[in-house]
């Protein structure tokens, strides 16, 4: 009897693996040849913990454009919703967020979405793009730097090549302590089993490996698994590198923002990076002392309504505060872990 039940369940599983759609790449920017299900003119499919989603929420918050938000739970938050058939077939074949939908047509990739919002959707013309050519070039520089292309880090022989290339590439490595703490505190055995069951359906298995490591080894993953430690150990060096460049541009513009008095897409692009630093406990006293102008810049951003509109809701915020307390505990208990943040 048990053999029949087990065989039946395995049959269902293998049938699911065989028929389940696979993720595939999409064309960045507006896909006017695709029409997706939608209820309103402008919709944003997003996740509260997703840094790229926050970038787009921050942009929409600045513009005041009316839009509908549809939240999806990511694997890092405990669900594989964005890798399941309904999402892949009806929203994004790549299985990622955010997705901006305008009159049913998807705009993929967050850096493309914020440009589309400001330069296409804004009544009366762009609000977050300067008209001065020099300022526009400066804005483009930081929009590009704020983009996250993790393949440049993970696939590189030396992770530093990717981390130093753009500020946005810091997001993955600096988030690892946060993900580790989140998985220890909030992931149960069902989450682990569901993750393992997804292995045949995924092109990339790095996240699955991380989840298993974090659940079994805990914080010691960072010293026992060389590959993981090598991604986190250069984070402080990377922050120093990008903040030194940012300091020079803030000094040249006179602040309070990258392009002077103009709050632009450059500033929007850095919101999720600085916010992730807050929750991941990377805004150390030594970093603030080393880069006072960047610290002041971040404080100015936090006063804006666009930033406030982009923040995670209170449920996620409180969850991340618990995660942050565990990271603080690790800093006190393990000198080697604290060294990630100070050296």
């Amino acid at each position: 009897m048990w053999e029949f039940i087990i065989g039946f369940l395995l049959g269902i599983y293998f049938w699911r693996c065989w028929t389940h759609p696979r993720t595939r790449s999409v064309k960045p920017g507006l896909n006017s040849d695709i029409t997706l299900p939608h209820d309103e003119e402008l919709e944003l499919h997003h996740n509260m913990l997703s840094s790229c989603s926050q970038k787009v929420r921050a942009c929409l918050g600045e513009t005041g454009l009316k839009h509908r938000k549809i939240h999806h739970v990511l694997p890092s938050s405990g669900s594989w919703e964005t890798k399941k058939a309904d999402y892949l077939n009806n929203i994004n074949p790549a299985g990622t967020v955010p997705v901006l939908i305008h009159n049913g047509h998807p705009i993929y990739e967050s850096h493309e979405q914020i440009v589309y919002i400001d330069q296409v959707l804004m009544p009366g013309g762009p609000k977050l793009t300067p008209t001065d050519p020099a300022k526009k070039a400066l804005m483009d520089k930081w929009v590009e730097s704020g983009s996250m292309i993790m393949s440049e880090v993970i696939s590189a022989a030396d992770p530093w090549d990717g981390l130093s290339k753009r500020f946005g590439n810091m997001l993955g490595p600096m988030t690892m302590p946060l993900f580790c703490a989140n998985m220890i505190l909030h992931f149960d055995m069902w989450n682990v089993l569901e993750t393992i069951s997804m292995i045949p359906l995924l092109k990339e298995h790095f996240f699955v490996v991380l989840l298993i490591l974090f659940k079994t080894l805990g914080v010691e993953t960072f010293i026992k698994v060389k590959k993981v430690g090598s991604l986190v150990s250069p984070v402080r060096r990377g922050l120093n590198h990008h903040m030194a460049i940012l300091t020079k541009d803030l000094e040249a513009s006179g602040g309070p923002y990258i392009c002077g008095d103009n709050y632009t897409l450059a500033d929007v692009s850095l919101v999720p990076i600085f916010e992730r630093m807050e929750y991941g406990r990377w805004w150390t006293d030594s970093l603030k002392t080393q880069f006072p102008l960047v610290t002041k810049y971040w404080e100015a951003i936090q006063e804006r309504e666009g930033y406030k509109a982009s923040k995670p809701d209170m449920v996620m915020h409180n969850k991340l505060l618990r995660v942050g307390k565990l990271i603080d505990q690790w800093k006190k208990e393990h000198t080697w872990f604290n060294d990630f943040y100070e050296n």
Side-chain angles (χ1 to χ4, degrees):
M1 180 63 177
W2 281 111
E3 292 86 348
F4 172 78
I5 294 174
I6 293 172
F8 178 72
L9 292 175
L10 285 173
I12 292 175
Y13 174 69
F14 286 119
W15 176 82
R16 172 176 174 260
C17 292
W18 181 262
T19 59
H20 195 282
R22 300 306 195 262
T23 58
R24 56 183 174 82
S25 60
V26 293
K27 184 185 76 174
L30 175 66
N31 286 251
S32 56
D33 57 325
I34 299 173
T35 302
L36 301 178
H38 62 287
D39 295 322
E40 296 188 16
E41 178 182 349
L42 189 62
E43 298 182 341
L44 176 67
H45 292 266
H46 74 117
N47 172 267
M48 279 295 172
L49 186 57
S50 159
S51 55
C52 292
S53 293
Q54 183 175 24
K55 184 195 300 186
V56 182
R57 292 197 305 268
C59 184
L60 287 168
E62 289 291 334
T63 64
L65 290 170
K66 181 183 176 183
H67 62 284
R68 175 187 175 222
K69 293 188 182 76
I70 304 99
H71 187 262
H72 300 276
V73 184
L74 299 179
S76 56
S77 302
S79 172
W80 289 87
E81 178 187 349
T82 57
K83 297 294 188 291
K84 294 183 178 177
D86 183 59
Y87 188 87
L88 296 176
N89 291 332
N90 295 316
I91 302 170
N92 185 0
T96 60
V97 292
V99 177
L100 186 70
I101 298 180
H102 182 217
N103 289 325
H105 304 303
I107 301 96
Y108 296 120
E109 302 298 338
S110 60
H111 56 283
E112 295 279 354
Q113 291 162 11
I114 62 174
V115 171
Y116 186 88
I117 289 167
D118 189 50
Q119 299 185 6
V120 177
L121 298 182
M122 282 303 296
K127 175 184 178 182
L128 300 171
T129 302
T131 55
D132 179 83
K135 290 184 177 181
K136 172 67 163 53
L138 181 60
M139 183 201 80
D140 290 340
K141 166 188 169 182
W142 283 101
V143 169
E144 181 66 23
S145 179
S147 302
M148 179 175 66
I149 304 177
M150 280 309 299
S151 59
E152 295 177 346
V153 180
I154 295 174
S155 301
D158 182 355
W160 176 250
D161 294 339
L163 294 177
S164 60
K165 184 174 182 178
R166 62 183 84 237
F167 207 168
N169 284 347
M170 300 292 299
L171 278 162
M174 77 165 62
T175 300
M176 283 189 178
L178 186 147
F179 278 171
C180 181
N182 183 48
M183 290 169 187
I184 290 171
L185 290 174
H186 302 124
F187 276 52
D188 56 23
M189 187 53 64
W190 171 251
N191 296 128
V192 176
L193 291 175
E194 184 183 17
T195 297
I196 293 173
S197 76
M198 292 295 294
I199 290 175
L201 308 177
L202 303 174
K203 289 182 179 179
E204 272 292 337
H205 300 117
F206 186 64
F207 175 81
V208 178
V209 174
L210 273 184
L211 171 58
I212 295 171
L213 289 172
F214 287 155
K215 287 298 289 184
T216 55
L217 299 177
V219 67
E220 293 195 355
T221 301
F222 296 108
I223 55 170
K224 291 185 175 180
V225 182
K226 184 178 179 181
K227 175 68 174 178
V228 179
S230 69
L231 290 173
V232 180
S233 58
V235 168
R236 178 58 190 262
R237 178 187 172 196
L239 292 175
N240 292 345
H241 170 76
H242 292 290
M243 286 191 171
I245 298 172
L246 180 56
T247 295
K248 290 180 180 179
D249 284 345
L250 289 169
E251 288 174 341
S253 73
Y257 306 116
I258 290 175
C259 294
D261 292 329
N262 299 109
Y263 188 81
T264 71
L265 295 178
D267 310 296
V268 167
S269 297
L270 300 190
V271 166
I273 300 173
F274 291 154
E275 181 88 335
R276 186 57 52 89
M277 288 173 62
E278 292 280 0
Y279 287 122
R281 296 302 199 260
W282 290 99
W283 279 108
T284 61
D285 290 340
S286 62
L287 190 74
K288 292 177 182 178
T289 300
Q290 187 176 352
F291 298 103
L293 197 58
V294 176
T295 303
K296 185 178 179 181
Y297 165 64
W298 173 226
E299 290 170 350
I301 289 177
Q302 292 178 86
E303 294 299 317
R304 297 188 66 87
E305 292 304 315
Y307 162 75
K308 294 175 184 177
S310 77
K311 287 181 65 63
D313 60 22
M314 286 308 299
V315 173
M316 179 60 73
H317 174 71
N318 290 332
K319 183 178 179 179
L320 291 172
L321 289 182
R322 291 193 295 271
V323 167
K325 288 180 181 179
L326 183 54
I327 294 174
D328 288 337
Q329 180 181 325
W330 290 340
K331 285 185 180 183
K332 294 176 182 177
E333 293 176 349
H334 307 288
T335 302
W336 59 264
F337 183 79
N338 191 59
D339 286 345
F340 287 145
Y341 289 78
E342 299 296 344
N343 298 319

